[in-house]
Amino acid sequence: MVQTQSEINQKNSSAVSVEMRKEHAEQIEKALQAVQGHDVQNIFFVACGGSMASLSSGDYFVSRELSLPTATYTSNEFIHRSPKILGDKSLVVLRSHSGTTPETVEAASFAKERGALTVAITMDLESPLAKAAEYIIHYNYKDGSNAIDGELGMYYTFIFKLLNQLEPNQKFERVVEQLKTIQSLIEKNVEKFSIQADAFGKKNKREESIYTMASGAYYSHAYSFTSCLLMEMLWIHSNAIHAGEYFHGPFEITDDNVPFLVVMGEGSSRPLDQRALDFVTKFSDKVEVVDVQDFDYGQTDEDLREFFGPLLAGPVMRLYADGLAEHTGHPLSVRRYMWKMEY
Amino acid sequence: MVQTQSEINQKNSSAVSVEMRKEHAEQIEKALQAVQGHDVQNIFFVACGGSMASLSSGDYFVSRELSLPTATYTSNEFIHRSPKILGDKSLVVLRSHSGTTPETVEAASFAKERGALTVAITMDLESPLAKAAEYIIHYNYKDGSNAIDGELGMYYTFIFKLLNQLEPNQKFERVVEQLKTIQSLIEKNVEKFSIQADAFGKKNKREESIYTMASGAYYSHAYSFTSCLLMEMLWIHSNAIHAGEYFHGPFEITDDNVPFLVVMGEGSSRPLDQRALDFVTKFSDKVEVVDVQDFDYGQTDEDLREFFGPLLAGPVMRLYADGLAEHTGHPLSVRRYMWKMEY
């Protein structure tokens, strides 16, 4: 098949590599310089709900790639548990989309008082979180700019530069370089999965309960889909089951009519997911699979896919919630309690 | 009121302090001597399902009391993630009731290969797990012996002796000493809560879904109640919601007819639980509370209650599952898949 010039242009442009804006790159460099001067012996990732889930991909990569202890905490547990190793050898990465989540703002102050180095990730430079933390990584949100300057581009660039600084490895440098194509990668995958995500919504529109299941770097995607998309935005009962834990209790709930959304990961945890999927499809007639190996990775190096899969899973899974919203007639913006009262 | 001699005897016997059996105490000492010689820089707690939940009280106490990093993993995630800091400076505590859980046996071998010190907790000295790990802490199970030789007595004694060895503190010594009364403490609390647990079962016998909620040291109790008691043994849908996370997604699922079982903890995380309880009772008519402050702590020192609460919560919460079993007519021993097929 002969391609027209416009088709060739489109294909090339879809692999186009876009540099991060200068002020964004400088924020990341400042935070990394602070890490350089800080003798970091342990890392904490601290946030609430979907923000915690987003940060925990960082925790996952650190645990696999660095000889440093790392932990993820929901902000209020972090403050009340008050881990004893938290101190002047700690790096604490916090995140709140609006920068206003009170528990996370308090967690930043708490960590700073303990002498930790604090880095806040938020879309609002003027927010309380941005003011409470020492260093800020600010991302653009729905302003039409390239995804390299958005939440995924900024966070992943920061994490992989951090990994490279703490234990240098050329693969981390390649991740940072190739992250510059994420806008087109996201667009490709959103296009690729939109039809099956819509069909999922149609098929499941009358379900009152949908379990999610995943492991490894994808467990946090199951968690945020369960907590933020199904329970919060769609009022559908759910539980994010770890694929390894499935066989140690939860699998007994499986039955013909019990719906599951299973994320089949890319990378080292895939065998866990496969084992859970093999079982659940035998006994439930309502299993939907999001297979990260089916993602379009564009020009991404083969050995870096395990780092790009978790990044792309977010926008893809969002489509499945859009599908449910469309077919249940329940917009994702509807709330019973949030924004309507103090709590 | 004048007490009869038999009443006085009964009261005294209920506070009786029983020494651990010699062979059990020796197992713990051997493991601790190995720790002494090992330069432990980090601790991992590794098991599956209810065993993982049981171990995670150790993780909680270590994180609060020691300047050492600690993490809890489900066995298969541990193996596949392969945390980079796992090595010859690691202590890995593993647990399987029967000692046969394949993932946990494999995790013990995996940790040993990486040079870690491995300690297995099991009821079967001859089990594959006992053979795979370097050190064994064996507990008695339903043989009529005192609880100090059972799973709670053995594990808590090990953990608090470990804490005391790594960062000596007289309060840990007092915990170990007072653990010798746990048989009577458990009996007292089982008696105290049996009526309300039965009433819970009666009230909720037709519920298809019950959420659990807790935080801090009690989150693992919510998790095992959800995974092992509700989903596995009773086939009731559930999700263990962290009380701090409740407001960041899950709370939108709350409605008049949505049942919740909330554990109100003792100790530093109680304010989180209180905030969640205040909200959930406003919008759901079906909230049951297990309040750890209502436990009977007998002669336990006031400042040690936060260590005994998580220990007593297990036997107390089990009563709530017994109540459901009784009134649903679904014995806790029934399974669809476990024991019936390979998986």
Side-chain angles (χ1 to χ4, degrees), chain A residues 271-289:
Chain A
L272 274 77
D273 307 327
Q274 189 66 57
R275 182 177 169 222
L277 183 67
D278 289 347
F279 189 94
V280 73
T281 47
K282 224 180 279 176
F283 298 101
S284 164
D285 301 330
K286 297 179 173 180
V287 180
E288 179 81 18
V289 181

Side-chain angles (χ1 to χ4, degrees), chain A residues 74 242 245 252 254 336-337, chain B residues 74 245 252 254 336-337:
Chain A
T74 182
H242 187 284
E245 282 289 276
E252 287 284 339
T254 311
R336 275 193 259 240
Y337 311 117
Chain B
T74 183
E245 281 290 276
E252 287 283 339
T254 312
R336 273 192 260 242
Y337 311 117

Side-chain angles (χ1 to χ4, degrees), chain A residues 131-142:
Chain A
K131 284 169 184 162
E134 245 181 305
Y135 294 89
I136 302 144
I137 291 175
H138 160 262
Y139 57 81
N140 290 348
Y141 181 65
K142 288 194 176 170

Side-chain angles (χ1 to χ4, degrees), chain B residues 250-264:
Chain B
F251 79 147
E252 287 283 339
I253 206 76
T254 312
D255 205 352
D256 308 354
N257 62 344
V258 178
F260 282 82
L261 177 64
V262 180
V263 185
M264 287 289 295

Side-chain angles (χ1 to χ4, degrees), chain B residues 1 44 53 55 74 98 122-123 157 186 206-207 225 245-246 248 272 282 284 296 335:
Chain B
M1 192 186 119
F44 288 94
L55 285 187
T74 183
S98 64
T122 174
M123 68 158 186
T157 302
I186 292 170
R206 299 203 213 288
E207 300 297 348
F225 197 82
E245 281 290 276
Y246 177 59
H248 300 280
L272 273 77
K282 224 180 279 175
S284 164
D296 184 338
R335 297 289 186 283

Side-chain angles (χ1 to χ4, degrees), chain A residues 38 48 91 117 263:
Chain A
H38 200 85
C48 296
L91 165 63
L117 177 65
V263 184

